[in-house]
Amino acid sequence: MQVLLKRLVGAAVLTGQVILYSTFAMGNALAQEESEARLEEIVVTASRRAESIQDSSLIIEAFDNEKIFQKGLTTPVGLTTAVPSLQIGMAGPQLQMYIRGVGSPNATVVGSPAIALSKDGSYLARTQSLHPSFFDLERIEVLKGPQGTLYGRNATGGAINLITKAPVLGEFGGYGALDFGNFSKKQIEGAVNLPVGDEFATRVSFFGIDRAGYMSDGTMDDEHWALRVQTLWEPNDRVSWTLQGQYADYRGRGLGGFSFAGAADPWQAMFPAGNAVILANVFGNGQAFPDFAFPFITDAEDLGPAPTPPFPPGTSFFSGVDLIEDNAFQEMQIWDISSTLIVDMDFATLTVVPSYQEVESTFRNTPGPRFGILDPLNGGAPETSEAATLEVRLSNETDKFDWVAGIYIFDEDQFGPTRVDQGPVQNLFVDNSFETEAFGVFAETVYSFNDTTRLITGVRYSDDEITKPDFRRWSISEALNCPPTAPNRQVVNGVAACLVSGPNTDTVSFDSFDWKVALEYDLSPDNMVFFTASTGYKAGGFPAVVAQAFEPEELDAYEIGFRNLFLDGRLQLNGDIFYWDYTDRQENVVGADDLGIIGQSVVNAGSTTIQGFGFDMLFAATDQDLIRFGAEFLDAEYDTFTFTQGAPFTPPSVTCPTSPTGVTLMLPPPFGPTPELLIDCSGFEATRSPRWTANVEYTHTFVLEGGATLAANVNGSYKDETWLTALFLEQQRVPDLMLWNASLTYRPSDERFTVVAYVDNIDEDASFTSGLNHTQIYQLVGLSPTLPRTYGLRVRYDF
């Protein structure tokens, strides 16, 4: 620990010297200029108390309502160009989210994020709930690093908080906005605030979008609408009660994918582009099932020439019958209701935040295998998640001592029917149900020794129990392991299937004690340095296959940072240096489960070291010129990461060194007895961990006749190359990317109208935000690209 602290302090001193020298040199050069420009203060509530970012030791970035509209941040994915080191990609309706290389790769409904998500203080159990909430927002807060004390479980990587526009007493107002762009984009949103007497107000907000898909097959579209209603009651200055409800509906085709190995155009859909990969690696090499292996299949001619048995090691067995067809769709309904009661009790403030959320989704997409969330044995029944949360807090603030303490209760019932259809080789249905009960008790204090020095301490105890009840795994006829003569074959609601496993019930329990210590010191009213040590915890659980439960992951973080305002508040310079020790990181790999069936599973990477630094500069050079530059450096490496895999799938499924374990796996036909191999990926760069990320932004505001303004903005974001999945194939190494965007924003003197003309991704470069491996053809990797060049016009009227 002493060596670590010496390194951190030394690096901080060196960085500070360079920054201070550059800053004062800039100050001398600008000393003769006269300007009234001063940066606006941003107040955040991420620490459960209101404070300026410049007074906080949290590693946080925030965006207010004006910046959200100017940037067009209507989806979580849009945040990736605004926040260095934040990566968000789509994996079906789910989000894969990473901050500084920490996140969750899970692309199934059973996975939980490693980034805590909340809306107005209510934890969002499913990542699907975040997407339709990006409208009528007061602020977005992005916290980097473990938030184990105040946010608790599943916050190893950080937190994303959405704070909606709240009702206002005694005021009538609102806004309406339209956005028209290419890909037939039509977007509308608005809100109205309605006062009812002196004690009551209601705010109604609406959002809707219809945009064609930007993949060649029409996928990656956006067709959804959402409605939010909030009420506020303040009978006196001691009681405030807010009630909120929101409903969202999704349609369209949903997620699509690009085959890195099969097409040059990033927005050429995997199908039929993936056919080239299939032909080269399966049909062209004679790697397909012989027709005698499943005589009940009538279209054996599509399976290609059969190799001569016994099949050679490394053979990829595959039937392309269902993989190639175009079948993507999504249907999803999301609704939630939450309440916030605040009561001033003199000695403390009581805050009670209950919520209930429900997600119902059915989808089928095509990156990797033909994959879907629906129950074929019950008429296509959808996935459902029903989650209830309750947080009760007491808090108080004085000149010397601030404190907050509370309890947290979480309960979720989830049904996740998972369907993978790869023709005869693998046509399975997994009947997943999960019941999660979690409890936490926490406290955090801020003690001011004097006007310049503060000590922050926090603790939290978390307890999780996860049950996988009545689990069943089916093979749908006419799969290879479910021929008409199979003894376990049965007909369920008119569908012929073989019960491969179950029913059985398993339960696992985890607990964790997390803590935080931070020391803040003010060098002056505008300059602060701080040191933070904290921990985070993400619960373990069960994969969506027949396999052992995976363990929780834990992260110990040490950070030294600074907050600075120079040049009379015109120059803001913030940054930090960090060292993170990451234990039992949860990763997705492809391999045989306990039944020998190949699929995606979750394993724990033993230990990972993540270290680096980040800084952010905001400079009001004049009244009309604003410059921003932020960058982060990340060095993330697996110290230990091993897992096992069946020999027929290695190589080419991984590039890590392999060695035999001496164990023989009994895989189902046609594989049979198979040697097990130990895969050792220790020393590899961690997934989703680009070494350099940065963004830059310049805005010049022209003052027109009559007081109107025209703001010209150009901004760019850079992301270094990185691995998307943990099998480390060449197709999973995403190249570096530089994106450039530009906009013109016009406002008349009364500032009621706002008109924004924009173009994003000017050079039309591709950024890949998520990736899925095919479980049988490892060269076939489905990547999800971000938007190509988009342009349009946003108009807003405030009243």
Side-chain angles (χ1 to χ4, degrees), residues 289-584:
F289 282 129
D291 56 5
F292 63 78
F294 37 92
F296 43 86
I297 298 299
T298 59
D299 53 358
E301 57 185 311
D302 292 336
L303 304 181
T308 302
F311 305 114
T315 295
S316 296
F317 299 98
F318 174 73
S319 167
V321 176
D322 289 323
L323 178 66
I324 300 172
E325 70 180 72
D326 179 16
N327 52 44
F329 77 92
Q330 70 173 5
E331 295 179 5
M332 183 164 53
Q333 293 78 43
I334 305 169
W335 69 272
D336 64 74
I337 185 170
S338 64
S339 171
T340 303
L341 174 66
I342 302 175
V343 181
D344 183 352
M345 303 172 64
D346 290 331
F347 77 96
T349 298
L350 171 68
T351 304
V352 183
V353 186
S355 75
Y356 177 80
Q357 310 149 31
E358 190 166 310
V359 177
E360 183 176 291
S361 63
T362 302
F363 69 91
R364 183 165 56 215
N365 56 47
T366 50
R370 177 179 171 182
F371 177 81
I373 298 298
L374 71 163
D375 184 349
L377 306 184
N378 289 284
E383 171 212 5
T384 58
S385 167
E386 300 175 355
T389 71
L390 173 65
E391 184 164 294
V392 180
R393 301 192 301 268
L394 283 174
S395 62
N396 194 22
E397 299 181 24
T398 67
D399 293 338
K400 299 283 289 184
F401 190 65
D402 301 342
W403 60 271
V404 58
I407 62 170
Y408 172 80
I409 300 172
F410 174 80
D411 185 276
E412 182 184 23
D413 291 332
Q414 188 179 19
F415 170 59
T418 304
R419 175 80 185 278
V420 178
D421 184 356
Q422 297 178 125
V425 65
Q426 190 177 73
N427 191 347
L428 62 89
F429 164 60
V430 181
D431 189 349
N432 275 313
S433 293
F434 293 89
E435 298 171 358
T436 302
E437 296 180 356
F439 172 80
V441 55
F442 60 91
E444 186 169 293
T445 66
V446 182
Y447 178 72
S448 299
F449 294 100
N450 49 49
D451 291 340
T452 62
T453 309
R454 295 167 299 280
L455 176 67
I456 301 174
T457 59
V459 293
R460 186 184 189 109
Y461 173 76
S462 300
D463 182 84
D464 292 87
E465 182 177 277
I466 302 172
T467 300
K468 192 176 184 180
D470 204 21
F471 172 81
R472 289 176 170 86
R473 183 164 187 165
W474 300 82
S475 183
I476 307 298
S477 179
E478 306 285 345
L480 180 64
N481 61 345
C482 189
T485 57
N488 58 342
R489 181 184 172 105
Q490 55 187 289
V491 177
V492 182
N493 293 331
V495 178
C498 297
L499 183 61
V500 178
S501 176
N504 53 55
T505 297
D506 292 303
T507 298
V508 290
S509 298
F510 312 102
D511 62 357
S512 177
F513 181 81
D514 292 294
W515 53 268
K516 174 182 178 180
V517 177
L519 184 66
E520 301 176 347
Y521 179 70
D522 296 332
L523 300 171
S524 76
D526 288 334
N527 306 94
M528 179 181 76
V529 294
F530 58 87
F531 169 76
T532 301
S534 61
T535 66
Y537 152 81
K538 181 177 185 288
F542 294 101
V545 295
V546 183
Q548 298 297 313
F550 51 88
E551 295 298 315
E553 61 181 31
E554 299 176 351
L555 194 149
D556 298 335
Y558 307 92
E559 296 158 337
I560 288 179
F562 49 85
R563 299 278 186 265
N564 296 292
L565 285 176
F566 299 109
L567 306 178
D568 296 325
R570 293 164 51 201
L571 175 64
Q572 174 182 297
L573 193 59
N574 299 335
D576 73 299
I577 302 168
F578 57 93
Y579 178 91
W580 294 355
D581 185 8
Y582 199 1
T583 305
D584 287 330

Side-chain angles (χ1 to χ4, degrees), residues 206-281:
F206 176 81
F207 179 92
I209 184 172
D210 186 353
R211 175 182 55 75
Y214 52 83
M215 300 299 291
S216 61
D217 61 355
T219 55
M220 290 298 194
D221 57 346
D222 194 350
E223 183 183 331
H224 81 272
W225 62 269
L227 176 69
R228 182 187 305 141
V229 179
Q230 301 178 82
T231 61
L232 170 64
W233 179 52
E234 290 188 358
N236 52 55
D237 59 0
R238 300 171 67 88
V239 177
S240 174
W241 183 44
T242 303
L243 181 65
Q244 177 187 122
Q246 179 178 304
Y247 178 83
D249 183 272
Y250 275 78
R251 303 288 171 172
R253 296 181 57 77
L255 180 72
F258 158 76
S259 175
F260 204 15
D265 181 356
W267 297 284
Q268 171 67 49
M270 171 170 274
F271 305 94
N275 291 356
V277 181
I278 297 171
L279 291 172
N281 293 284

Side-chain angles (χ1 to χ4, degrees), residues 539-720:
F542 294 101
V545 295
V546 183
Q548 298 297 313
F550 51 88
E551 295 298 315
E553 61 181 31
E554 299 176 351
L555 194 149
D556 298 335
Y558 307 92
E559 296 158 337
I560 288 179
F562 49 85
R563 299 278 186 265
N564 296 292
L565 285 176
F566 299 109
L567 306 178
D568 296 325
R570 293 164 51 201
L571 175 64
Q572 174 182 297
L573 193 59
N574 299 335
D576 73 299
I577 302 168
F578 57 93
Y579 178 91
W580 294 355
D581 185 8
Y582 199 1
T583 305
D584 287 330
R585 175 188 178 115
Q586 296 166 8
E587 289 285 9
N588 266 24
V589 298
V590 176
D593 65 10
D594 291 351
L595 296 178
I597 299 174
I598 309 305
Q600 300 275 353
S601 188
V602 180
V603 298
N604 293 104
S607 63
T608 307
T609 298
I610 302 176
Q611 55 192 338
F613 64 85
F615 69 90
D616 185 80
M617 182 197 76
L618 192 59
F619 180 40
T622 70
D623 291 345
Q624 288 81 43
D625 295 279
L626 184 65
I627 302 169
R628 180 179 183 181
F629 177 67
E632 292 206 1
F633 172 77
L634 191 66
D635 179 16
E637 181 179 294
Y638 296 107
D639 301 315
T640 57
F641 179 22
T642 61
F643 60 96
T644 58
Q645 198 175 58
F649 307 98
T650 310
S653 68
V654 296
T655 56
C656 306
T658 66
S659 60
T661 65
V663 174
T664 298
L665 300 176
M666 298 304 298
L667 302 187
F671 306 109
T674 301
E676 181 186 67
L677 296 180
L678 178 70
I679 315 298
D680 189 350
C681 297
S682 304
F684 274 70
E685 177 187 277
T687 58
R688 314 295 177 99
S689 301
R691 292 182 69 82
W692 285 100
T693 55
N695 60 14
V696 61
E697 185 172 356
Y698 171 67
T699 303
H700 180 78
T701 303
F702 299 90
V703 180
L704 308 179
E705 184 177 354
T709 60
L710 181 66
N713 173 274
V714 60
N715 63 85
S717 63
Y718 175 79
K719 183 179 71 173
D720 214 341

Side-chain angles (χ1 to χ4, degrees), residues 714-736:
V714 60
N715 63 85
S717 63
Y718 175 79
K719 183 179 71 173
D720 214 341
E721 62 181 359
T722 186
W723 294 107
L724 276 187
T725 69
L727 296 182
F728 304 105
L729 297 176
E730 179 183 357
Q731 299 93 320
Q732 299 161 348
R733 184 70 172 176
V734 176
D736 61 352

